[in-house]
Amino acid sequence: MWNWLGAALLALGAGAPAAPVVVVTAYDFAFKAPDSLPAGVATLRLVNRGAESHQLVLMRLDDTTSVERAMRALANDESSIPGMHAASGIESAAPGASNETSIVLRAGHYVMICELPSTDHRAHVKKGMLHALTVSSRDAAPDTALPASVATVRLTDYHIELSAPLRPGTRLVRVENDGQYRHHLIVARVLHNATLAEIDEWDGVSKPAPLQTIGGASALDPGYASVTALRVTPGRYILACILNGGPAHKMHYQLGMETETVVR
C-alpha cells in the first residue's frame, strides 16, 4: 500500500495563546487561500470541498530561487528543485472534512502545494494545485512558540517515536524532524484487524481497505516542527513515513519508519 501511495508523491493541549486560524479551502484542483500573511505562529485549517482527498504542504523558498521558477518546476514535476524547504502543513483531509496544523511562518516566500495522487495517478500539483504565499515581517518580534501538545512524534533516520499514549478525543501532537532527510507523518486507523504485513502489501485500490488515513503532518525538512490536531477514537493506529530519499533509495517505512499505537 505504502509503495502505491508514496510512489505517486504521505483533550487539546493548553498553555500557549491560541494561534490565528488561516482557512485554506481545497477544490479539485485548486486552493482558495490568502496571498499574504504576517510572520509568526499560525494554525492552518484545510477545508476540503473537493471529491478527492487533498493535503497542504508549505514549501519555503530561499534566496536561490523565485516564486515563478519554483511554481513552474513543481507543476512540471522536475526531479530536482533547489531552493525549496518543506515547512510542514496538513497531510490529508478527506472530501467534506477538515484538518488543522500549527506551524511557524518565517518571513519570506512560500508555495502551497498538494502532492496527493488523483484517480489517474497524476499528482494534484501537476494539475495546478499550487498557490503562492508571501509572509511579511512584523514590527515586533513574531511569536515562534507552537501550541502546547499532549505528545510528541519524533522523526529520525529511520524511526518514529511517540512520546506518550494518545487518548480518545481531539489531541494536539507535536511532530518534529530530528533526522538528516525530509520526512512526513501519516496517521491512519487500522480497519478489519489488518496486520502490518497486509497493510504494506495493499495496492491502495482493493476493497475493503485495511486502513483509513485521519491526518498527520505533511513534509518537514530537518529542523522543522509543527503541531497537528488528531481526532482519534479507541482502536489501532499506524504512524508512518512513506517518503523516499537518502542513501538507501528506499521508502522510509521500509527502513523502519512505521509503528503502531493503540488508543484506549
Side-chain angles (χ1 to χ4, degrees):
M1 172 271 177
W2 300 129
N3 278 325
W4 168 79
L5 181 57
L9 306 172
L10 246 145
L12 294 176
V21 175
V22 177
V23 177
V24 177
T25 306
Y27 300 93
D28 304 334
F29 300 93
F31 287 119
K32 180 181 179 181
D35 296 327
S36 62
L37 290 170
V41 177
T43 295
L44 305 175
R45 178 182 297 156
L46 181 64
V47 179
N48 188 350
R49 300 300 187 203
E52 300 187 19
S53 291
H54 293 296
Q55 69 175 183
L56 174 62
V57 185
L58 261 73
M59 305 298 294
R60 184 174 185 270
L61 311 184
D62 63 27
D63 294 337
T64 66
T65 191
S66 67
V67 171
E68 293 76 14
R69 189 203 181 292
M71 293 182 73
R72 183 171 60 251
L74 286 163
N76 292 335
D77 195 26
E78 294 184 15
S79 58
S80 178
I81 307 175
M84 294 199 303
H85 308 275
S88 194
I90 299 158
E91 177 55 36
S92 178
S98 64
N99 273 324
E100 293 184 358
T101 294
S102 297
I103 70 170
V104 178
L105 292 173
R106 308 174 190 175
H109 296 287
Y110 294 75
V111 178
M112 300 178 179
I113 63 174
C114 176
E115 294 185 301
L116 293 185
S118 190
T119 53
D120 60 5
H121 306 298
R122 291 181 64 208
H124 294 175
V125 66
K126 295 177 67 176
K127 296 187 173 191
M129 203 161 182
L130 65 175
H131 183 88
L133 172 69
T134 299
V135 175
S136 57
S137 300
R138 295 175 179 263
D139 293 335
D143 180 19
T144 58
L146 288 167
S149 58
V150 299
T152 296
V153 175
R154 183 169 175 262
L155 308 175
T156 58
D157 312 327
Y158 297 93
H159 183 69
I160 296 177
E161 177 185 334
L162 176 63
S163 67
L166 297 180
R167 304 301 180 197
T170 301
R171 305 299 179 192
L172 293 185
V173 177
R174 180 183 176 92
V175 182
E176 52 190 35
N177 184 352
D178 291 335
Q180 299 182 47
Y181 301 102
R182 181 175 296 173
H183 297 299
H184 73 159
L185 177 70
I186 289 179
V187 181
R189 181 180 172 86
V190 179
L191 306 176
H192 314 298
N193 295 315
T195 65
L196 276 178
E198 290 170 335
I199 291 170
D200 291 346
E201 293 171 0
W202 184 48
D203 61 6
V205 178
S206 302
K207 304 294 183 180
L211 79 174
Q212 178 184 26
T213 300
I214 67 164
S218 61
L220 310 93
D221 273 353
Y224 282 81
S226 61
V227 172
T228 188
L230 297 176
R231 294 184 288 270
V232 293
T233 56
R236 294 168 55 214
Y237 291 82
I238 295 295
L239 283 65
C241 173
I242 63 169
L243 300 184
N244 55 20
H249 299 291
K250 290 184 177 181
M251 308 295 290
H252 292 178
Y253 83 91
Q254 296 174 319
L255 300 171
M257 293 194 75
E258 181 179 55
T259 189
E260 182 176 331
T261 189
V262 177
V263 175
R264 295 183 172 88

